Amino acid sequence: MTDANIRSSAGRFVANPPAGREETEKVQSELKFALPKSYVDFLLTANGGEGFTSDSYVVLWRVEDLVSRNAAYNVAGFAPGLFLFGSNGGGEAFGFDTGSETCSIVSIPFVTMDKMDARLVATNFERFISTLSAS
């Protein structure tokens, strides 16, 4: 997945400049699971960004904000097994289900932050991007 792919598939999404490999590896070393390769590849071409994707809005967080935002939302306490990486710009967060084999993508309300309220969005990060562009 490249910056050009998400720009062309996601309407008016404005991608950030690429993340540095060092920062990406630093974050990886702080986690208890491996970020999916397709997501890491995305970060190395577009370190997050935001904008409209067809009929949706998406905010994908920068790699350097991932750990602190997950801590601030107390994701480990409220929704163990999830790791957030963005939102819809409103009341829903997007995250990886780290317990699934493919690190599937779920949406979860910020208000309840209860894993019981998580809804499957896509089975992997590439399908997540495709889902956004098709919505």
Side-chain angles (χ1 to χ4, degrees):
M1 171 90 20
T2 66
D3 178 23
N5 291 118
I6 193 165
R7 285 177 199 259
S8 65
S9 69
R12 296 172 291 173
F13 182 86
V14 178
N16 294 331
R21 189 166 298 278
E22 274 185 33
E23 186 66 33
T24 304
E25 289 172 359
K26 178 181 179 267
V27 168
Q28 284 269 68
S29 72
E30 296 177 32
L31 303 178
K32 295 179 179 164
F33 74 102
L35 290 169
K37 182 181 179 330
S38 59
Y39 180 65
V40 172
D41 290 346
F42 168 77
L43 290 171
L44 294 173
T45 59
N47 188 12
E50 71 179 276
F52 288 96
T53 60
S54 298
D55 295 333
S56 302
Y57 194 83
V58 64
V59 178
L60 300 179
W61 300 337
R62 299 176 321 146
V63 69
E64 54 269 32
D65 298 331
L66 293 172
V67 172
S68 63
R69 286 190 180 203
N70 275 268
Y73 288 116
N74 192 16
V75 178
F78 291 119
L82 295 186
F83 185 78
L84 306 183
F85 62 85
S87 76
N88 67 356
E92 299 270 323
F94 296 118
F96 295 109
D97 181 349
T98 65
S100 72
E101 189 173 311
T102 62
C103 249
S104 57
I105 311 300
V106 298
S107 67
I108 185 169
F110 279 115
V111 174
T112 62
M113 194 61 75
D114 185 336
K115 197 167 178 185
M116 296 289 290
D117 295 328
R119 179 182 57 83
L120 180 68
V121 175
T123 56
N124 59 44
F125 188 73
E126 287 181 335
R127 288 194 178 164
F128 171 72
I129 297 298
S130 295
T131 299
L132 290 175
S133 64
S135 59

